[in-house]
Amino acid sequence: MHAVRSESALSMADAESTALVATQEKLAVSLPLPLASYALMARAAYDAHLPDGTSLINAAAECIPGFHGIYGDDEDADGDVVAALKNEGGLRILLVAHRGTQLEGANRVQDVISDIRLAVGVLTKGKDFERRMSATLALVERFDPDAVDLTGHSLGGTTALYAIAHSSTLRAKLRTCVTFNEGAVDVRLLSRKEPVRLPTKEVLFPCESGAG
């Protein structure tokens, strides 16, 4: 009986893996940037609290063709929101990533509070959500991009969607939003600009997932 359950679990895992690959292949055609670009920035956002976090985040940004890192060149840079900028053909593209839950760094307590609020379904006017939306809008105001791409993992995906749902300014500039394992959020105000959601840890942390 145990062997049957194991084979069933393996079959399910194979099916999920096949579905994931099919989803990624489909997105590779429809997304403005390669899927890996969004995953790279979503992952880099976790490095903001490190001593060399600025260098790590900007180095990650510069791995995306045409983009350069802009994190840390502003005294008021928000440690939970990082960005990269691209100028091409007269167009300016801003790629913004929101950091997920992290139990280290200055905002760790607020992260936990936000996760609890998510768990009980309370989303409106959370300090963490509002702060990240304000930081994103500050970047939009500062760089005046022609288009904005948003991404984030876990809590970061949720706050990215929250910012879109609650800011008409951001929606007007939005090109796409790719989130990874985000929590529930009210996105009724997204209108036609529906986010692309990828429920997969493997895209962000391939080594960690492979080790398991």
Side-chain angles (χ1 to χ4, degrees):
M1 193 70 174
H2 178 71
V4 172
R5 285 201 300 270
S6 297
E7 289 176 4
S8 176
L10 286 173
S11 296
M12 185 177 295
D14 288 341
E16 290 176 350
S17 178
T18 300
L20 173 60
V21 170
T23 300
Q24 292 176 347
E25 289 176 347
K26 181 179 179 180
L27 288 174
V29 177
S30 61
L31 289 175
L33 298 173
L35 179 60
S37 298
Y38 299 104
L40 183 64
M41 285 302 292
R43 174 63 185 85
Y46 284 93
D47 293 332
H49 75 287
L50 298 175
D52 56 348
T54 297
S55 298
L56 290 171
I57 292 167
N58 290 334
E62 288 164 13
C63 288
I64 305 172
F67 281 84
H68 64 276
I70 55 175
Y71 181 72
D73 61 353
D74 185 342
E75 292 181 359
D76 297 321
D78 189 298
D80 300 330
V81 177
V82 304
L85 190 66
K86 178 180 183 179
N87 290 289
E88 182 177 300
L91 295 178
R92 181 173 291 189
I93 309 298
L94 184 66
L95 172 55
V96 180
H98 287 204
R99 178 184 58 74
T101 300
Q102 197 166 44
L103 300 181
E104 356 179 52
N107 295 321
R108 60 187 180 278
V109 174
Q110 190 60 56
D111 281 1
V112 174
I113 292 174
S114 292
D115 282 341
I116 293 172
R117 290 171 64 88
L118 274 174
V120 299
V122 179
L123 303 174
T124 307
K125 297 297 181 183
K127 291 181 180 179
D128 204 18
F129 287 64
E130 295 290 319
R131 187 186 70 251
R132 292 177 182 216
M133 179 170 67
S134 295
T136 302
L137 290 172
L139 286 167
V140 171
E141 181 178 358
R142 180 183 176 197
F143 293 102
D144 190 25
D146 296 284
V148 175
D149 287 0
L150 269 175
T151 189
H153 171 252
S154 187
L155 175 62
T158 304
T159 56
L161 291 172
Y162 178 92
I164 297 168
H166 293 82
S167 171
S168 58
T169 297
L170 192 54
R171 290 198 301 277
K173 296 275 188 177
L174 183 67
R175 186 171 68 163
T176 194
C177 177
V178 179
T179 64
F180 303 87
N181 278 0
E182 90 285 356
V185 68
D186 183 356
V187 293
R188 287 176 296 175
L189 299 181
L190 284 174
S191 186
R192 296 189 308 269
K193 296 184 177 179
E194 292 296 332
V196 177
R197 305 183 189 187
L198 295 178
T200 169
K201 184 180 180 184
E202 287 75 10
V203 176
L204 281 173
F205 304 100
C207 294
E208 181 178 315
S209 297

